[in-house]
Amino acid sequence: MSDRLATELYVKAHVRQCFAKGLTAIIAHKGDDWGGAILVKLNLLGPGCRLLNQTRDADGEIAWLPVQGGALLSERDADDYIAKAVNRDPDLWVVEIEDRTGTNPFPGKIL
């Protein structure tokens, strides 16, 4: 039995935390309830979007890997990347957060 939290519960809890902070957050794609990885789309509301893939660091802790080195992507490019990622891995969760600061609300360091 795993001691990790189900992905569905983990995502929904963090989406609620976004709402509590006054941020708009949506689950754009629901993946596997227990073991799906997470892709975060940070929409900066104007300058572009950043994408972060969930991963694990060397100690097994949750970490985030910026797509294209953390470069700003147009919304269209970000959505194209997401569509391809979901096509490759239908268990993937996609969470879109609108935040002008581009702060990742999920715990874990950015690699």
Side-chain angles (χ1 to χ4, degrees), residues 21-73:
K21 294 176 184 174
L23 300 174
T24 300
I26 62 162
I27 298 170
H29 183 266
K30 183 180 181 216
D32 182 72
D33 290 345
W34 280 98
I38 303 168
L39 174 66
V40 176
K41 176 182 175 185
L42 298 170
N43 188 333
L44 281 64
L45 301 171
C49 302
R50 285 199 172 92
L51 299 177
L52 300 170
N53 279 311
Q54 182 188 35
T55 189
R56 298 272 171 182
D57 66 13
D59 298 322
E61 299 297 321
I62 290 175
W64 299 92
L65 188 61
V67 171
Q68 293 188 358
L72 280 175
L73 303 173

Side-chain angles (χ1 to χ4, degrees), residues 1-110:
M1 181 174 223
S2 174
D3 61 347
R4 293 186 182 163
L5 195 59
T7 305
E8 178 181 29
L9 188 57
Y10 182 81
V11 167
K12 288 182 177 180
H14 285 86
V15 166
R16 280 188 177 215
Q17 287 181 347
C18 288
F19 292 150
K21 294 176 184 174
L23 300 174
T24 300
I26 62 162
I27 298 170
H29 183 266
K30 183 180 181 216
D32 182 72
D33 290 345
W34 280 98
I38 303 168
L39 174 66
V40 176
K41 176 182 175 185
L42 298 170
N43 188 333
L44 281 64
L45 301 171
C49 302
R50 285 199 172 92
L51 299 177
L52 300 170
N53 279 311
Q54 182 188 35
T55 189
R56 298 272 171 182
D57 66 13
D59 298 322
E61 299 297 321
I62 290 175
W64 299 92
L65 188 61
V67 171
Q68 293 188 358
L72 280 175
L73 303 173
S74 70
E75 185 141 16
R76 179 182 211 144
D77 288 344
D79 290 343
D80 287 347
Y81 180 93
I82 291 167
K84 290 175 186 172
V86 169
N87 190 44
R88 280 189 311 269
D89 181 6
D91 292 335
L92 184 69
W93 286 77
V94 179
V95 180
E96 180 172 352
I97 299 155
E98 293 180 350
D99 181 7
R100 292 186 192 284
T101 67
T103 303
N104 181 15
F106 288 88
K109 63 185 172 187
I110 296 179

